[in-house]
């Protein structure tokens, strides 16, 4: 039977206010807000002061509150809130991908130990229902790959660069003003946010639990006019794409910028939208698209998790339980475009083979094959005079 839920919410920023708005416009959900914990009591709020507290224990220890909704931008505090709530056998909903990705192992263990639900649909692609789909619909071993644009903020920036000729800085500022960017925008631009989401997808797609340092991420922060001109000349754009794929018993994954032909499905995913292509052994490709950032769209996914708790839904981590024994490995060959300038010396020995080498007064590039596990070790990854983009020939 559907039960009534009393919510204790942490955070009343972009997503917290989005949730309040969505909840207010939804008739069918038997849930009400009892208290909201925020950090700055002096901030002007749109709700009465009696809703708010700065004392986290007032919520965690309230026996009347049965569901904790964690929507804050402080990872350490979020970890403490979520783990103490689970240990008190309160169900938790969270949108905090960094915190979840960094503590996946422990969070899965706590759910089993305390027999309590921890749902986090909004953490992956905001409005796109991907986690519950991976758990329930793709609940077998026939899934082959997940490929997606998982970060709304960088997708917004890249769309404005390629479609409206805006500068990187101007597009980032706009993404921040519209509430699409993380409080620390490097999490978006350097590919960490998309990597954290990929790690969550890896658990529900293939039953693989990893640490963040095991998955490669490279962002769009080195993208310059030469890269953009190169892409345009080849009738392509650049998108920040996260992938994971199973070949036999081996699974690999990464998040990197890629050249994407203008006609490609993922090129239909623009601005703050996210898009995922799921490939099944027999179902072939399925394409999901929806808003990947923003208060109301993320709030909708949080509300859907709250609604699922009214019928006591919990993730079963079916792929882990099926003992599929997939092995995660970065031993995988990629074709990369590496652009650099005269200040930089590229060592041919870093690559398996170099198919194209171009040199000019302004910029140089090579197109070459490189093993992902070697690429992860390269000292020059952080050099701003070098940019790496995957070619369109990687699947
Ligand atoms: N924005 C998006 O589109 C989006 C999409 C998907 C997931 N997310 C995730 O959702 C979470 C929230 O993001 P947001 O964009 O809503 O952030 P935000 O607009 O910066 O709001 C953060 C909220 O958290 C509160 N807060 C911070 N530290 C706190 C603490 N220690 N105790 C209690 N409250 C605290 C802040 O309080 P004050 O109001 O007092 O400052 C604020 O209300 C993050 O994990 C983010 O990664 C965001």
């Amino acid at each position: 039977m559907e039960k009534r839920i009393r919510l204790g919410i942490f955070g009343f920023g972009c997503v917290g206010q989005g949730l309040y708005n969505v909840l207010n416009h939804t008739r069918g959900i038997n849930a009400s807000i009892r208290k909201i914990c925020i950090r700055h009591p002096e901030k002007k709020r749109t709700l009465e002061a009696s809703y708010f507290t700065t004392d986290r224990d007032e919520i965690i220890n309230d026996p009347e509150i049965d569901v904790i909704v964690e929507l804050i931008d402080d990872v350490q505090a979020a970890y403490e809130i979520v783990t103490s709530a689970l240990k008190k056998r309160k169900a938790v909903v969270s949108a905090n991908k960094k915190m979840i990705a960094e503590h996946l192992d422990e969070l899965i263990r706590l759910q089993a130990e305390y027999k309590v639900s921890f749902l986090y649909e909004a953490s992956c692609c905001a409005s796109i229902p991907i986690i519950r789909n991976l758990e329930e619909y793709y609940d077998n071993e026939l899934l082959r790959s997940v490929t997606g644009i998982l970060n709304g903020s960088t997708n917004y920036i890249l769309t404005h660069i390629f479609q409206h000729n805006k500068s990187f800085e101007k597009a980032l500022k706009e993404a921040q003003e519209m509430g699409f960017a993380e409080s620390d925008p490097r999490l978006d631009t350097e590919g960490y946010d998309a990597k954290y989401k990929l790690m969550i997808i890896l658990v529900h797609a293939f039953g693989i639990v990893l640490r963040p340092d095991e998955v490669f991420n490279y962002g769009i922060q080195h993208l310059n006019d030469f890269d953009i001109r190169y892409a345009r000349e080849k009738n392509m754009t650049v998108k920040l794409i996260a992938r994971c794929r199973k070949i036999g018993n081996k699974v690999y994954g990464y998040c990197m910028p890629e050249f994407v032909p203008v006609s490609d499905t993922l090129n239909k995913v623009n601005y703050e939208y996210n898009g995922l292509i799921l490939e099944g052994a027999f179902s072939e490709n399925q394409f999901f698209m929806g808003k990947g950032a923003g208060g109301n769209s993320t709030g909708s996914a949080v509300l859907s998790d709250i609604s699922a708790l009214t019928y006591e839904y919990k993730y079963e981590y079916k792929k882990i339980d099926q003992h599929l024994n997939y092995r995660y490995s970065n031993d995988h060959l990629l074709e990369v475009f590496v652009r650099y300038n005269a200040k930089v010396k590229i060592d041919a020995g870093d690559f398996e083979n170099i198919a194209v080498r171009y040199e000019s007064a302004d910029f140089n590039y090579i197109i070459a094959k490189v093993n992902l596990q070697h690429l992860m070790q390269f000292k020059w990854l952080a050099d701003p005079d070098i940019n790496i983009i995957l070619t369109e020939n990687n699947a």
Side-chain angles (χ1 to χ4, degrees):
M1 203 186 79
E2 194 187 280
K3 66 173 189 184
R4 173 153 190 82
I5 282 185
R6 282 143 310 181
L7 305 169
I9 299 177
F10 285 84
F12 199 62
C14 178
V15 182
Q17 292 180 58
L19 170 65
Y20 178 80
N21 195 25
V22 177
L23 188 59
N24 247 356
H25 284 87
T26 313
R27 298 273 161 269
I29 287 194
N30 211 352
S32 59
I33 298 173
R34 191 165 156 89
K35 210 76 196 176
I36 304 170
C37 181
I38 39 81
R39 185 160 45 183
H40 300 104
E42 69 286 358
K43 254 192 207 172
K44 208 166 152 21
R45 309 283 170 182
T46 49
L47 297 180
E48 295 164 22
S50 60
Y51 267 108
F52 296 99
T53 178
T54 51
D55 177 7
R56 79 170 72 149
D57 291 338
E58 202 182 318
I59 290 184
I60 304 272
N61 295 331
D62 183 345
E64 296 290 311
I65 288 176
D66 23 45
V67 172
I68 302 292
V69 185
E70 181 281 299
L71 305 171
I72 70 174
D73 59 340
D74 174 338
V75 169
Q76 183 55 30
Y79 167 74
E80 288 159 17
I81 290 160
V82 169
T83 50
S84 36
L86 292 174
K87 286 174 187 171
K88 286 198 172 275
R89 294 197 156 80
K90 288 187 196 289
V92 180
V93 176
S94 171
N96 203 321
K97 48 264 164 157
K98 184 171 194 294
M99 185 276 294
I100 296 167
E102 284 178 351
H103 301 282
L104 268 168
D105 214 12
E106 181 184 359
L107 292 169
I108 293 170
R109 189 174 46 71
L110 286 177
Q111 291 167 71
E113 188 178 336
Y114 291 91
K115 298 189 173 40
V116 63
S117 288
F118 176 46
L119 305 182
Y120 40 83
E121 188 66 72
S123 70
C124 253
C125 294
S127 72
I128 307 177
I130 184 64
I131 301 177
R132 245 184 285 161
N133 261 318
L134 287 170
E135 275 284 299
E136 306 304 328
Y137 187 86
Y138 303 92
D139 63 344
N140 51 53
E141 80 288 12
L142 297 176
L143 189 68
R144 281 197 175 149
S145 70
V146 183
T147 305
I149 293 171
L150 309 183
N151 180 268
S153 167
T154 45
N155 204 42
Y156 182 92
I157 294 169
L158 291 168
T159 305
H160 275 278
I161 288 174
F162 278 91
Q163 292 191 9
H164 307 289
N165 287 318
K166 279 197 186 146
S167 71
F168 187 97
E169 291 70 26
K170 191 164 190 302
L172 170 62
K173 194 161 172 288
E174 274 181 26
Q176 285 172 312
E177 282 163 5
M178 294 175 82
F180 303 147
E182 289 298 316
S183 304
D184 175 0
R186 287 173 309 173
L187 289 178
D188 296 312
T189 57
E190 297 182 12
Y192 286 97
D193 180 80
K195 187 249 288 273
Y196 298 139
K197 294 167 176 174
L198 179 67
M199 290 175 61
I200 296 169
I201 287 173
L202 275 158
V203 174
H204 295 278
F206 298 119
I208 290 175
V209 182
L210 297 166
R211 293 187 318 272
D213 64 337
E214 294 176 283
V215 184
F216 182 61
N217 61 293
Y218 189 83
I220 61 166
Q221 74 276 18
H222 297 167
L223 190 77
N224 75 8
D225 289 346
F226 300 117
D227 308 324
I228 296 164
R229 204 170 76 201
Y230 176 92
R232 285 208 174 108
E233 280 169 7
K234 308 267 182 224
N235 208 21
M236 295 190 290
T237 64
V238 174
K239 295 280 189 192
L240 185 65
I241 294 181
R243 290 178 185 272
C244 55
R245 173 176 289 277
K246 173 170 78 74
I247 300 176
N249 247 16
K250 199 179 95 175
V251 175
Y252 66 84
Y254 53 81
C255 168
M256 287 183 76
E258 293 190 26
F259 288 120
V260 179
V262 166
S263 58
D264 194 278
T265 306
L266 286 178
N267 239 329
K268 297 180 177 45
V269 183
N270 287 313
Y271 302 102
E272 73 274 28
Y273 279 77
N274 282 183
L276 292 125
I277 298 170
L278 273 65
E279 183 196 349
F282 299 100
S283 55
E284 299 187 11
N285 283 356
Q286 286 147 333
F287 176 49
F288 294 72
M289 185 168 92
K291 279 203 172 169
N296 285 346
S297 40
T298 312
S300 303
V302 174
L303 188 73
S304 179
D305 278 350
I306 294 169
S307 170
L309 290 172
T310 63
Y311 53 88
E312 303 191 347
Y313 179 77
K314 52 167 65 113
Y315 300 139
E316 290 174 53
Y317 297 97
K318 291 178 181 157
K319 312 290 170 41
I320 296 179
D321 283 353
Q322 285 164 5
H323 300 293
L324 299 170
N325 289 327
Y326 294 148
R327 188 172 55 87
Y328 188 78
S329 166
N330 290 311
D331 182 10
H332 179 72
L333 217 52
L334 296 171
E335 189 179 79
V336 288
F337 161 97
V338 184
R339 187 261 310 144
Y340 55 101
N341 63 24
K343 285 190 250 166
V344 175
K345 277 232 165 324
I346 289 285
D347 182 354
D350 282 346
F351 300 93
E352 304 263 326
N353 60 26
I354 298 180
V356 178
R357 186 187 277 273
Y358 173 88
E359 294 189 348
S360 73
D362 298 330
F363 76 111
N364 311 320
Y365 70 81
I366 58 167
I367 294 177
K369 291 259 170 66
V370 61
N371 192 303
L372 177 57
Q373 64 192 1
H374 296 149
L375 179 62
M376 289 173 82
Q377 310 298 329
F378 288 168
K379 298 269 183 300
W380 43 264
L381 286 174
D383 187 334
D385 290 322
I386 302 178
N387 191 29
I388 309 171
I389 303 176
L390 285 179
T391 72
E392 70 282 21
N393 301 322
N394 297 281

